[in-house]
Amino acid sequence: MTEGSFPLHKAVFGDDAPALKSALRQPGVNIEQVDVHTLTPLLLAAKLGHCGCVELLLHHGASVDAKSDDGWSVLDEAVSYGNRDVIKLIVNAMHEQAEVELQSLKPKLKTALDQVPDFSLNFSWEFASWIPFLSRVLPSDTCHLHKQGSRLRVDSTLQGFRELHWVRSKLTFYIDCTDLSRVTVVDHERRLLQELQPRITQKYVEESTSSHLASAISSSHISTQPIELKRARSGWLWRSDREEEIAGHTCPVYDVMGITLIQRRRMEHLSEEDVKRLTSIRGKLNSSVTEEDFDDRESVDGDGESDDGDECDGPRIRFRPSLPPPPLSATWHSYSTSSSTGTPAGVGRQPRLSEERKDFKPVVALCHEFPVARELILDILEIIAPYKHFSKLRTLVSRLPPGFPLRLELPLYPTISGKVATQDFKLAEQSSDFFQIPRYPQGRVLGYDGS
C-alpha cells in the first residue's frame, strides 16, 4: 500500500487534529483500519502520546479493545509513552465502552435464563499455597447464586483487602437482567445498600493512572495449540480412572494437557529502582516467603493509608507525573513504507521486553449432564466483577470439551494454585421475597464504589 492509503494514521502521526477531523468525515472511512504495523489510528495516537488525536478518535467511537499483532493494547501503548492525560482519557473510555458491552449481554443472558428453570448454585473459589503466610493472605470465598425468572441474587463474603488481611462481610448482589445498568450490592452487616452505577470517580481515574505508571505493562494469552484431556488415574498397585462425587453428580476427572500461558512484560517506562523492586516481588511468588518479605504489591508505590482515614482496599497510590516524551525520529514516509515487523525505531518509547512461558496441567472434573450451560455462569460472574477477572477463565473453559466443569484446579505459580469447585446445585422454585432488596440507607459498600 502507498502512504496515502492511511489518511487517519497520517494525520495522527503528524498530530494534525484538523486533518484528522476532516479525514473522519470522509464517506466510508474505517476508524479501525490497521496500518502496515498492525496499529489502528487510536493505537498509533496512544503510542505517540498525541492527546488531541486520542480524544478525537475516542469521540468518534474508536475501540479501546484494539490490539496490535504483537498483543499490546491501547492502554499499554499509552502507559509506555507516559502521558497522564492520554492514559486518563483511555481509562475513562475503557469504562464507558465496557458498560456498553455489558448492556449488550442483556438479551443473550435473558434468553439463556428463560431456557432454564429456577435454581440455586453454591460454589467456592480460592487461591491456595503451601506457604503459611501466602496461604493466609490469598483470597477465597464461597458464593451462592440464585435464579428466579430473569432475576439473580449472588451472596458473597469477600469485601476488600486491608493491612494484609481480607475484609469479610455478608454481601448480596441483586441483578435484574432486564436492566443491567442497575446492579444493587447490599452489605447486610453494616445495613447499607449501593447501586453500582455506570460511572467512575475522578479520584479513581487519577489513582488508576498513577498505578499504571508504577506497574509493569503485561500481556498474557493461552496458547492456541490443541488441548488434550487425559483421564486422571488413582491408586498405587491397581490404578483406575479417577472419579469424584460432586454436588450429586459422578464426574470423570481429567488432566488437561497442552496449556501454555505466554506472559510478556514491558518496563521501559519504569526507573531502574522500579524494575529491581518489581523483579524482587515476582521472585517472592516463586519461592518461600515470610510476612516480613512480602510487603509490596506488583506495583512499586503505595503507603497503605487512605486519603480520608477510612477503610481502604489496599495501599493508596502515590501520584506519578507524566514521563518526559521520547523523541520522534522517524518520518511519516519511513514509518508508512517500512517492511519490518513490529513498530520501527523512533516511534514511541522503545520496549524493554521480557517473556515467560509456563506450561500448566489443570485438573478438571466434568459433568456431562449438568442442566445449566457453563457459559451462562461465566456471563453472570462477569456482571458482578468490577473488572474482567474472568476473561482468562472463560478462554480456558470455552476450549474444554462439552460438559460443565464442577471442579477446576489450575497451578499459577510454583507456590500458588487457583481452585473453583461446585458445592451444591438444586433445581427449585425461588420465593419472590428472597429477591426483595432490603430498605437500607444508601452508603459506601467497601470495595465497590470505584473510588
Side-chain angles (χ1 to χ4, degrees), residues 187-243:
D187 184 334
H188 296 282
E189 291 189 357
R190 299 172 67 200
R191 301 178 69 84
L192 295 173
L193 64 82
Q194 179 184 352
E195 298 287 344
L196 298 187
Q197 301 291 342
R199 62 175 181 83
I200 52 177
T201 64
Q202 185 61 32
K203 175 187 173 184
Y204 170 85
V205 174
E206 293 289 347
E207 291 190 348
S208 178
T209 299
S210 290
S211 177
H212 285 301
L213 288 170
S215 306
I217 301 167
S218 64
S219 170
S220 59
H221 69 277
I222 295 174
S223 66
T224 56
Q225 62 185 347
I227 288 179
E228 177 188 353
L229 261 65
K230 182 179 179 181
R231 282 298 298 266
R233 308 278 285 177
S234 60
W236 291 96
L237 295 177
W238 293 275
R239 295 176 63 79
S240 60
D241 289 342
R242 182 174 155 197
E243 293 183 337

Side-chain angles (χ1 to χ4, degrees), residues 383-400:
I383 294 172
I384 65 173
Y387 305 101
K388 296 186 177 180
H389 298 307
F390 298 95
S391 60
K392 290 181 177 59
L393 177 61
R394 176 188 292 276
T395 299
L396 174 60
V397 170
S398 65
R399 296 183 61 207
L400 293 174

Side-chain angles (χ1 to χ4, degrees), residues 321-390:
S322 294
L323 301 177
L328 176 59
S329 58
T331 65
W332 169 245
H333 175 76
S334 65
Y335 173 83
S336 61
T337 59
S338 171
S339 58
S340 61
T341 58
T343 308
V347 180
R349 206 175 301 276
Q350 292 306 296
R352 181 176 179 176
L353 179 65
S354 64
E355 179 176 300
E356 292 181 55
R357 291 175 176 260
K358 296 182 180 180
D359 294 324
F360 294 124
K361 191 173 75 172
V363 177
V364 61
L366 288 174
C367 176
H368 298 289
E369 299 177 354
F370 203 69
V372 176
R374 60 194 182 190
E375 291 79 12
L376 173 61
I377 302 300
L378 291 176
D379 284 342
I380 293 171
L381 295 178
E382 186 173 339
I383 294 172
I384 65 173
Y387 305 101
K388 296 186 177 180
H389 298 307
F390 298 95

Side-chain angles (χ1 to χ4, degrees), residues 225-384:
Q225 62 185 347
I227 288 179
E228 177 188 353
L229 261 65
K230 182 179 179 181
R231 282 298 298 266
R233 308 278 285 177
S234 60
W236 291 96
L237 295 177
W238 293 275
R239 295 176 63 79
S240 60
D241 289 342
R242 182 174 155 197
E243 293 183 337
E244 292 185 4
E245 192 73 21
I246 304 176
H249 297 272
T250 301
C251 304
V253 180
Y254 299 90
D255 292 324
V256 185
M257 318 296 288
I259 298 290
T260 301
L261 179 66
I262 303 171
Q263 186 169 34
R264 307 170 74 212
R265 306 173 78 236
R266 290 167 58 179
M267 297 189 182
E268 64 267 16
H269 60 295
L270 299 175
S271 68
E272 289 300 323
E273 181 182 354
D274 292 342
V275 172
K276 288 179 181 178
R277 179 177 284 190
L278 285 177
T279 302
S280 173
I281 292 172
R282 289 185 63 82
K284 292 168 187 176
L285 292 174
N286 290 281
S287 61
S288 297
V289 296
T290 65
E291 184 164 349
E292 289 74 21
D293 292 328
F294 202 90
D295 59 0
D296 292 301
R297 293 182 171 184
E298 196 173 62
S299 168
V300 295
D301 285 339
D303 59 14
E305 298 178 358
S306 63
D307 290 332
D308 53 10
D310 292 340
E311 296 174 318
C312 61
D313 296 306
R316 181 185 63 189
I317 302 299
R318 295 189 184 97
F319 178 82
R320 283 264 174 149
S322 294
L323 301 177
L328 176 59
S329 58
T331 65
W332 169 245
H333 175 76
S334 65
Y335 173 83
S336 61
T337 59
S338 171
S339 58
S340 61
T341 58
T343 308
V347 180
R349 206 175 301 276
Q350 292 306 296
R352 181 176 179 176
L353 179 65
S354 64
E355 179 176 300
E356 292 181 55
R357 291 175 176 260
K358 296 182 180 180
D359 294 324
F360 294 124
K361 191 173 75 172
V363 177
V364 61
L366 288 174
C367 176
H368 298 289
E369 299 177 354
F370 203 69
V372 176
R374 60 194 182 190
E375 291 79 12
L376 173 61
I377 302 300
L378 291 176
D379 284 342
I380 293 171
L381 295 178
E382 186 173 339
I383 294 172
I384 65 173

Side-chain angles (χ1 to χ4, degrees), residues 72-205:
W72 303 113
S73 70
V74 175
L75 180 61
D76 295 336
E77 297 296 359
V79 172
S80 173
Y81 189 91
N83 184 315
R84 285 188 64 91
D85 290 336
V86 171
I87 298 172
K88 288 189 289 185
L89 284 171
I90 293 168
V91 169
N92 271 304
M94 288 173 65
H95 181 80
E96 293 169 0
Q97 293 184 18
E99 288 299 328
V100 173
E101 182 180 347
L102 183 62
Q103 288 303 313
S104 71
L105 275 177
K106 182 170 66 175
K108 182 180 75 170
L109 188 57
K110 186 177 185 307
T111 299
L113 288 173
D114 289 342
Q115 293 174 352
V116 297
D118 294 348
F119 64 84
S120 61
L121 170 68
N122 301 337
F123 64 94
S124 62
W125 63 269
E126 65 173 328
F127 291 96
S129 175
W130 54 268
I131 298 174
F133 168 65
L134 273 183
S135 181
R136 178 164 66 83
V137 300
L138 291 171
S140 63
D141 200 8
T142 297
C143 298
H144 307 273
L145 168 64
H146 307 273
K147 178 260 180 185
Q148 183 199 51
S150 60
R151 295 189 293 178
L152 298 167
R153 169 176 170 154
V154 183
D155 296 305
S156 174
T157 66
L158 198 61
Q159 189 177 46
F161 189 75
R162 187 175 69 252
E163 296 177 357
L164 294 178
H165 293 280
W166 289 94
V167 180
R168 295 190 179 273
S169 187
K170 293 180 180 179
L171 300 178
T172 298
F173 296 84
Y174 294 91
I175 306 164
D176 184 347
C177 293
T178 62
D179 182 12
L180 293 182
S181 64
R182 296 189 61 191
V183 176
T184 303
V185 59
V186 173
D187 184 334
H188 296 282
E189 291 189 357
R190 299 172 67 200
R191 301 178 69 84
L192 295 173
L193 64 82
Q194 179 184 352
E195 298 287 344
L196 298 187
Q197 301 291 342
R199 62 175 181 83
I200 52 177
T201 64
Q202 185 61 32
K203 175 187 173 184
Y204 170 85
V205 174

